[in-house]
Amino acid sequence: MNAKAFIRFVKDWSLPIVMALGVIAYFLFEAVGFSANVHRFANKAVSIVQPALLFCMLFISFCKIEPTKIRPCRWHLWLALIQAMSFIVMALLMRFVKNAEASVIVECAMVCMICPTATAAVVVTDKLGGNTLTLVAYTITSNVVTALVVPTFIPFINPNIGMDFIHSFLIIIKQVFPLLVFPFLLAWTTRIFFPRILKAIVSIKDLAFYLWMVALALALAVTTRALVHSHISAICFFGMMIVTLICCVLQFLLGKRIGGRYNDRISGGQAMGQKNTVFIIWVAYTFMNPITAVAGGFYSIWHNTINSYQLYKKRRNN
């Protein structure tokens, strides 16, 4: 294979390569046998670097968007209804599920459906040639829906949680909105007061995408760690793996189908299918059975695999 063919191969399969590197990096880190202090430092570093990368990615993406052009669309309503109603129905059904492992699997489906759109979805949507304006608008919408629906139906999921609606609502808002709102405000400020800086940022091609690949490698390393250290039965493990895969594929298909009716197929698919998997893990630990957090790891693998295939097809068709 010559250098040109190798570069082409890396470009075509960049996401699978990055995902594999993230998994390999975790196992290499474990194999070296670092001390507990090094592990604590690594965990702390990742907890800082990941949000920082997401912030930068969003800031760069928002710099390309004219804020006044962001508008809600009709397909937003349909996706929000599916997101909310699927969670509500399963929450009500939880009252009748007595088996512990079955409850965990149902909770996995619930968090996968209600989870808001990933902040990184705007980067992938832009790369796929979708409408980033409608994607950003739905990202905000999906976060609002999540913040309203989850606190309302927590008693059906976990009657012993001991939180009222306002308390739960504020906790969720504090978790999901800073990383979404602050980059937007900073980009808007830069657009108004520092147009030269804005022009320089926008001129760097695919910068947000490359940052996303670094964040993806870290996410897969963290996902691998969560799956390796999960202490669940084989039946529950495979049940969670299958239900998260079904939820992921179903949401991409529904998003594309509904978005396609409004001439916005790519954005609809990413809005519905690409999820904030860190939120899945957090909401599981906060409001549900902590084992459910593993769903975030599985979903991260599935939606990034689908994204890899979509980007591969996009490059091949160009």
Side-chain angles (χ1 to χ4, degrees):
M1 182 183 292
N2 57 36
K4 187 176 181 179
F6 177 75
I7 293 171
R8 178 68 179 179
F9 173 82
V10 171
K11 285 183 176 180
D12 286 344
W13 299 97
S14 56
L15 260 66
I17 291 170
V18 167
M19 292 168 67
L21 287 175
V23 175
I24 293 168
Y26 166 76
F27 285 113
L28 287 176
F29 184 81
E30 290 294 317
V32 172
F34 289 112
S35 67
N37 287 334
V38 174
H39 277 266
R40 282 193 291 270
F41 174 80
N43 289 335
K44 183 67 175 177
V46 170
S47 69
I48 295 172
V49 172
Q50 270 191 315
L53 285 170
L54 288 173
F55 186 98
C56 292
M57 286 157 39
L58 275 179
F59 169 68
I60 294 166
S61 298
F62 288 158
C63 281
K64 300 177 182 179
I65 295 171
E66 176 59 58
T68 57
K69 293 182 179 179
I70 297 176
R71 295 283 190 277
C73 301
R74 289 185 179 181
W75 62 261
H76 291 173
L77 176 61
W78 293 110
L79 266 59
L81 283 173
I82 293 171
Q83 181 183 344
M85 292 307 299
S86 59
F87 182 87
I88 292 168
V89 170
M90 286 186 282
L92 296 174
L93 288 175
M94 282 291 290
R95 289 286 191 176
F96 305 98
V97 179
K98 303 302 180 183
N99 182 275
E101 291 188 340
S103 296
V104 169
I105 292 171
V106 174
E107 286 186 0
C108 286
M110 291 172 65
V111 293
C112 288
M113 296 303 293
I114 195 62
C115 182
T117 305
T119 50
V122 65
V123 178
V124 183
T125 301
D126 183 52
K127 195 72 174 174
L128 291 171
N131 188 331
T132 54
L133 289 170
T134 56
L135 189 283
V136 170
Y138 186 75
T139 302
I140 297 169
T141 301
S142 66
N143 277 276
V144 172
V145 170
T146 301
L148 292 172
V149 172
V150 172
T152 304
F153 290 88
I154 283 173
F156 294 93
I157 307 164
N158 187 354
N160 302 316
I161 195 67
M163 293 186 192
D164 58 23
F165 173 83
I166 297 298
H167 186 194
S168 305
F169 175 80
L170 292 176
I171 288 175
I172 294 175
I173 290 294
K174 182 180 178 181
Q175 173 70 18
V176 298
F177 268 80
L179 198 58
L180 185 64
V181 174
F182 293 159
F184 180 82
L185 294 177
L186 182 59
W188 201 350
T189 302
T190 304
R191 176 177 292 275
I192 295 171
F193 297 105
F194 307 101
R196 290 185 179 179
I197 295 177
L198 182 78
K199 185 177 179 181
I201 292 170
V202 172
S203 68
I204 304 175
K205 185 180 179 181
D206 292 336
L207 177 57
F209 181 73
Y210 294 132
L211 290 175
W212 178 60
M213 286 200 291
V214 176
L216 179 59
L218 285 175
L220 264 293
V222 173
T223 295
T224 305
R225 179 181 181 276
L227 295 176
V228 168
H229 291 278
S230 62
H231 302 290
I232 54 178
S233 69
I235 293 175
C236 189
F237 184 88
F238 284 108
M240 296 168 74
M241 181 173 67
I242 292 168
V243 78
T244 52
L245 175 59
I246 292 171
C247 288
C248 184
V249 173
L250 178 64
Q251 289 184 99
F252 268 105
L253 291 175
L254 285 173
K256 286 178 179 293
R257 177 65 64 86
I258 295 169
R261 291 185 176 181
Y262 298 93
N263 199 30
D264 208 357
R265 188 171 183 272
I266 294 173
S267 299
Q270 295 309 123
M272 192 73 175
Q274 189 172 349
K275 299 286 191 175
N276 182 351
T277 54
V278 175
F279 179 84
I280 292 178
I281 296 169
W282 174 82
V283 80
Y285 274 118
T286 306
F287 301 115
M288 300 179 177
N289 188 325
I291 296 174
T292 307
V294 176
F298 281 127
Y299 200 98
S300 177
I301 294 170
W302 305 140
H303 81 176
N304 283 306
T305 300
I306 291 173
N307 282 336
S308 299
Y309 177 69
Q310 291 183 127
L311 289 167
Y312 168 77
K313 283 184 64 179
K314 176 70 176 177
R315 281 190 294 268
R316 282 297 185 185
N317 292 334
N318 285 345

